């Protein structure tokens, strides 16, 4: 039973709106394995055009999208460079190693979330039979809710180009990054060979991600998607939600960011809560150990859903969190600290 009234656990908890459900119900469909589904084709073409890339492929999840990208960039025994806490390395069940026979070369993050350029350079292996072949560098942006600056992405792009490596972006929340940085999605993704974008997070679709990129890589991804069991049939029903999201739910991401800032300010009023000011829609809160346990319990009792316990909390705003939900959550916080 769901006793959560205000669900801040993740932007993946969103439910399709009435308008999105109507678009799904009315979608024209065909068999996408035969490339016969006009709605899937439309979503793929639209995403490719938006990012200024050759092609795109619609997939069930962001995890599969990243895996397809790595498998398309790398051969068996190759290696990819990624951040130690990058989702595609640390949160995808080791899929690249298990299913792709691809080895990770993780790099420590600096305090600002970036990888040091010198560390990236130093991790690229020389062409020597002792080493795995370094094939691709993967960045993630937003990273932990932070919008990493364009200058950083461009600096890593320069390394990838100079060392003749592929360049992949895990842009699960790329549209959030664009809203925060005030840039457009085409400029934001211009330097990358492949880009993975989630439709099922802030964009509010129930299912789906899109891998966008260079033709030869998307062609390989199409074969790998089939191999991994990710090819779907009348998936236009799902892709219609993605198209609806692109029409209706991109510009409004700024509202999520505004609400996250207001929530963060309300939380930061209490010194026991160490609040990281959010760039986008994700707030991290470190609570003093002596209150953390009671605070978590009080939020749960008040129907405020947050992720993480005992001091390390994550609050995420999204399309189903309106101004009233922020007020409701802050009222529960005030009640906890001030007993009213
Ligand atoms: C959510 C997420 C993914 C994976 O998406 P799923 O659809 O949950 O598999 C990949 N990368 C990042 C940064 C994410 O936040």
């Amino acid at each position: 039973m769901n006793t959560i009234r205000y669900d801040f656990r993740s932007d993946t908890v969103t439910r399709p709106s009435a308008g999105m459900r109507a678009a799904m119900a009315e979608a024209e469909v065909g068999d996408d394995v035969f490339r016969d589904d006009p709605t899937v084709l439309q979503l793929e073409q639209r995403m490719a055009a938006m990012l200024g890339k050759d092609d795109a492929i619609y997939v069930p999840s962001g995890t599969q999208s990243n895996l397809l990208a790595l498998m398309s960039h790398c051969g068996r025994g190759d290696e990819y460079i990624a951040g130690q806490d990058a989702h595609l390395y640390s949160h995808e069940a080791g899929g690249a190693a298990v299913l792709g026979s691809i080895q990770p070369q993780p790099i420590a993050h600096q305090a600002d979330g970036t990888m040091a350029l010198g560390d990236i350079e130093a991790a690229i292996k020389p062409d020597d039979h002792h080493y795995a072949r370094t094939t691709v560098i993967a960045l993630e942006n937003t990273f932990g809710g932070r919008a990493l600056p364009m200058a950083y992405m461009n600096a890593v792009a320069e390394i990838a180009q100079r060392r003749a490596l592929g360049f992949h972006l895990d842009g699960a929340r790329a549209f959030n990054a664009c809203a925060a940085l005030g840039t457009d999605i085409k400029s934001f993704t211009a330097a990358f060979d492949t880009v993975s974008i989630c439709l099922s997070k802030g964009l509010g679709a129930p299912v789906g991600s899109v891998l966008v990129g260079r033709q030869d890589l998307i062609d390989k991804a199409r074969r790998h998607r089939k191999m991994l069991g990710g090819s779907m049939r009348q998936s236009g029903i799902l892709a219609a939600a993605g198209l609806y999201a692109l029409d209706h739910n991109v510009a409004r991401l700024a509202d999520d960011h505004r609400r996250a800032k207001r929530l963060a300010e309300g939380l930061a009023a209490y010194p026991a809560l160490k609040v990281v000011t959010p760039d986008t829609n994700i707030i991290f809160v470190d609570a003093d150990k002596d209150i953390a346990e009671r605070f978590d319990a009080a939020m749960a009792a008040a129907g405020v859903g947050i992720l993480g316990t005992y001091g390390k909390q994550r609050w995420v705003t999204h399309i189903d969190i309106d101004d009233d939900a922020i007020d409701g959550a802050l009222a529960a916080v005030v009640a906890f600290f001030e007993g009213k």
Side-chain angles (χ1 to χ4, degrees), residues 61-63 66 87 92 140 142 170 172-173 198 200-201 209:
S61 70
T63 298
N66 280 327
H87 197 285
E92 298 182 3
E140 180 177 320
T142 63
D170 179 356
R173 297 186 179 84
C198 286
S200 60
K201 295 194 170 160
S209 285

Side-chain angles (χ1 to χ4, degrees), residues 35 41 44-45 47-49 51-58 68-69 71-73 167 192-195 211-224:
R35 314 275 330 251
L41 292 175
E44 291 174 344
Q45 285 160 11
M47 290 290 286
L51 273 62
K53 307 288 184 205
D54 299 333
D55 204 356
I57 181 167
Y58 181 59
L68 293 180
M71 288 176 71
S72 300
H73 280 283
F167 199 31
F192 295 91
D193 302 307
T194 48
V195 179
L211 181 67
V212 193
R214 220 174 60 210
Q215 194 65 57
D216 58 317
L217 294 165
I218 300 301
D219 289 344
K220 286 188 196 171
R222 202 167 286 284
R223 175 176 291 271
H224 291 134

Side-chain angles (χ1 to χ4, degrees), residues 11-12 141-148 169-185 188-189 196-204 249-258 260-261 278-282 316-319:
D11 48 9
T12 54
N141 204 0
T142 63
F143 173 70
R146 266 192 275 219
L148 306 179
L169 176 66
D170 179 356
R173 297 186 179 84
F175 285 106
N176 293 85
C178 287
L181 296 170
T183 183
D184 64 284
I185 192 76
F188 183 74
T189 57
S196 173
I197 294 184
C198 286
L199 299 165
S200 60
K201 295 194 170 160
L203 297 184
N249 295 350
V250 174
R252 62 154 309 286
L253 290 172
D255 297 337
D256 296 341
H257 299 180
R258 174 178 58 73
K261 282 215 167 60
D279 283 350
T280 61
N281 66 326
I282 304 181
V316 185
T317 57
H318 51 75
I319 194 167

